[in-house]
Amino acid sequence: MSPWPKWASLVLAAALLCLGALLTYAHNASSAVASASSGDVFWTATEGPLASQNKPVKVPTLSKQLVRKHALNNTIIIAFANANHIDYTFNWLTYVFANNITNYLVGAVDPTTARTLSRAGVHVFSMYNNLANGAVGMPEGDLAFLSPGFLSIGLHKLALIRTILEYKVDLVCSDVDTVWLQNPLPYFARVPEANILVSSDATAPTHDDEGLEDPQVIGRHDLNIGIMMLRCSKNMTLFVDAWQQQLQRKDAQHWDQGEFNALLRINMFKNHFSWWDQTDPWDRVYKPKATVAQNKRVVWAYDHSVTVGVLPVSMFANGHIFFVQKLYEKLKSPLHVVHANFIGGGFKRHRFRETQLWLYDKPAYYNVDHMLSFDIRTLQPPANWLHLNTRHRVQFHLENIGTQLQQFWNAAAAAVALNRTLILPQFTCYCDELWYWSLEVNPAYKCRYVGARNQTLPFQCPHDMVVNLLQLDDVPAKFGAAVKYRESTFMDNPRTPQAIKDDVLRIRLQLPDQLPEPLPDQVPVQASQHLPEHLRGQRQLQQMTEPIVTQIPVSWTVTENELRDTLSQHQSHRVLHMTDMGHVILKSYRGWDRRRSHASLDCWRFLLFASVH
């Protein structure tokens, strides 16, 4: 075992502090951890923790000696990283270290990543100098989903997996867009009868206990190799060989995960469903040909040659289960791993920030001088909401989104006019983002995601389901004034300085025909549902003691200069909180219409409105 890096104690201490607000997601965590302070910095944005920029490094290639050196209990954890996603890698590593996990290796796709990780003291090996089993030419740049580079990297990863199995070592493969809230290895050890343990894209659990999912999941949903354990054996090697051969076929490019699923399903079930079968794919009953005697939830797969267990989605959560359904709030199972899939690549960082699972940001990200927040109002559902069919639910959902967007764009324009950073509101959705899938598959889902029968409606939906966040602040010269923003849970984050939380001025913009409202001593504001339970009461109490300080008369239409003049005496406050942005009309300026149009979601989502009348 190599010496523990000098910075490791700093990383572990800082990570444990930050995890104070996070590990409560795992209900049975062994100990409580304190909240993070505003000064915690354990990664730099370029070279990792306490890195020496000028120190030359020599990055090893993958070898039996390297794997044996870092393996523990004959198990090694493997992740892969490239320069475009180095921040994901460091975020993943932060949780790895916080859980005292040392038996890991990170494969670097390019020299820049290899140097960065090596200088940070990470256990790294080069993939570009270790092209196993005939693989050549490592892809570079951003590996967008299903792009040629994305598909190519799968073949390289699989070649390395095959090599590690030759070393007679069990391996756990993890994508770096995951967060390990708890060490999953003890859970894996509870299921020794499974040759393969793998997560899934299932949108509902099949059991309410901590056991594996029902094998029917393999027929209904794709297994997701972002979290996967492979136990070395002769049959496992043969399976990986077949998997590799499928990816090397020259007739087309193949996705490693798609071929993984196709191979496992060979001769797995007694019954099959044809493509013209009209039954709901997520309701079909698949009958495994054989299960393992010791555990009926472990099934024989790949022509009865390997055994497979599907990890419970309540504990190994995919992106829909965690970020959209928030199943952790309903179930008591201890959350182990969160995978940021079901999400466009550019929005993953924001989803992690929103749930306070992103630990890579520097203190400067939280120490913002001037901010603007606002209360967002939603439409109340009709009295017969529970009895509305999918089409009518979608109509109401889109109307509700339009109402919230009107307030959002008013607030965004005000933030630009006042040169403030906008704290995003928490949007409410009455339908899932992909409601049209359920409309086509089975109207009984009533605008839930397909298969997600237990999804609660309405729900607090991720921002990227409503606004194109990536285009709020890009290319000002082309699209007009940029909107600087922070996530809606920013004020609840333990890394946000207390000085900001203590300097909030609540303002009501009073229109000409509105009477002044009496100023109550206390104004209750709902605490964020993302808060850990031990913090919710504290934050709610703090919000309830924030009085509305002033009401400011304004006209129905306000220009940029008028808004600045009206609020000039209050500009010293760190946070201005508007209680209502739904009625004031902010006149267009500095290309604001272009920015608004640019950052709105693709119009086809709203054109579909016509199809549900």
Side-chain angles (χ1 to χ4, degrees), residues 2 22 33 70 88 92 140 214 223 255 273 281 290 373 379 391 393 402-403 409 411 424 477 512 525 527 545 569 593:
S2 61
L22 306 174
V33 192
H70 295 293
Y88 285 105
W92 178 78
E140 297 182 358
D214 192 283
L223 302 178
W255 181 25
F273 295 88
S373 60
L379 297 181
R391 297 177 183 275
R393 284 192 174 203
T403 298
W409 286 118
L424 298 177
V525 180
T545 58
Q569 61 179 315
D593 287 339

Side-chain angles (χ1 to χ4, degrees), residues 243-258:
W243 188 7
Q244 198 169 9
Q245 290 170 9
Q246 288 295 103
L247 296 183
Q248 290 173 333
R249 287 166 49 194
K250 296 182 179 180
D251 56 334
Q253 286 187 305
H254 299 276
W255 181 25
D256 55 353
Q257 181 170 295

Side-chain angles (χ1 to χ4, degrees), residues 195-225:
N195 303 135
I196 300 174
L197 288 168
V198 61
S199 62
S200 80
D201 290 341
T203 51
T206 55
H207 301 284
D208 58 4
D209 55 31
E210 297 182 16
L212 299 174
E213 297 291 352
D214 192 283
Q216 293 195 60
V217 167
I218 304 175
R220 297 172 179 172
H221 301 269
D222 275 345
L223 302 178
N224 193 298
I225 60 176

Side-chain angles (χ1 to χ4, degrees), residues 314-361:
S314 60
M315 300 171 67
F316 297 83
N318 58 54
H320 199 274
I321 288 288
F322 181 79
F323 296 107
V324 179
Q325 297 189 51
K326 300 179 178 65
L327 206 59
Y328 61 86
E329 294 181 345
K330 307 172 186 177
L331 302 180
K332 297 180 180 180
S333 301
L335 191 59
H336 282 55
V337 177
V338 174
H339 189 188
N341 61 343
F342 282 83
I343 309 166
F347 303 125
K348 293 184 179 184
R349 295 176 182 87
H350 182 82
R351 292 267 188 111
F352 277 142
R353 287 187 178 115
E354 182 70 14
T355 50
Q356 300 183 18
L357 297 181
W358 187 258
L359 304 181
Y360 183 72
D361 291 317

